Amino acid sequence: MSQYANILIAVDLSDESALVAQRAHAVAAGSSAQLHVIHVIEPLSFAYGGDIPMDFSGIQDEIQAQASQQLSRFGESHGIDAQKQHIVMGRPEVEIHAKGEELGADLIVVGSHGRYGLALLMGSTANGVLHGATCDVLAVRVGN
């Protein structure tokens, strides 16, 4: 098996994200793979379906600012340069695929809670990433 050259780590910035980053580092060990990290912020309008006539822009800006700070600390603690840290807004699986293609990623590493049944039907980011990716995907089991 050839070594990976570009690895995209998709994180939700929870405590479990550290395990996802550790697995990505383990895969990259001994190679010159570039590590990038992405965090996707879902717009509040997605959560409420646009049914609530409120302006969420101030709240959304605050969420973005906090996520940027968290991602910066996360990247620093895992040795990922600032220019390889990406925050985007949208649907996680769509944005992870887009960033993976933009970067020429040959591996995406994402955490998976191993949901099944109704929880899986309600949506799983890891499942969405797996089924739409144009490269390999490593789903790291987290938070059993």
Side-chain angles (χ1 to χ4, degrees):
M1 180 173 99
S2 65
Q3 295 181 344
Y4 294 106
N6 288 309
I7 300 173
L8 178 61
I9 308 165
V11 297
D12 62 4
L13 297 175
S14 68
D15 292 341
E16 298 162 338
S17 295
L19 179 59
V20 177
Q22 289 168 3
R23 289 293 196 280
H25 276 287
V27 170
S31 74
S32 59
Q34 302 261 335
L35 290 176
H36 288 259
V37 63
I38 185 172
H39 174 68
V40 181
I41 300 169
E42 288 190 79
L44 291 174
S45 60
F46 284 7
Y48 295 105
D51 293 337
I52 299 175
M54 290 180 64
D55 179 9
F56 290 115
S57 60
I59 298 168
Q60 196 75 61
D61 290 344
E62 181 62 27
I63 290 170
Q64 178 118 14
Q66 288 182 9
S68 293
Q69 292 171 357
Q70 283 183 279
L71 186 62
S72 179
R73 286 191 299 269
F74 181 86
E76 185 176 311
S77 69
H78 292 282
I80 301 171
D81 296 334
Q83 67 270 21
K84 295 179 182 173
Q85 300 171 19
H86 312 280
I87 288 196
V88 294
M89 191 170 298
R91 293 185 50 89
E93 59 276 9
V94 170
E95 298 302 330
I96 292 166
H97 291 151
K99 184 58 73 176
E101 289 182 22
E102 175 188 324
L103 296 171
D106 44 14
L107 177 66
I108 297 171
V109 183
V110 63
S112 173
H113 289 90
R115 293 188 174 103
Y116 53 89
L118 185 58
L120 180 59
L121 290 174
M122 296 301 285
S124 161
T125 297
N127 190 47
V129 170
L130 175 66
H131 290 299
T134 57
C135 64
D136 292 350
V137 176
L138 171 61
V140 178
R141 177 80 62 170
V142 295
N144 294 335

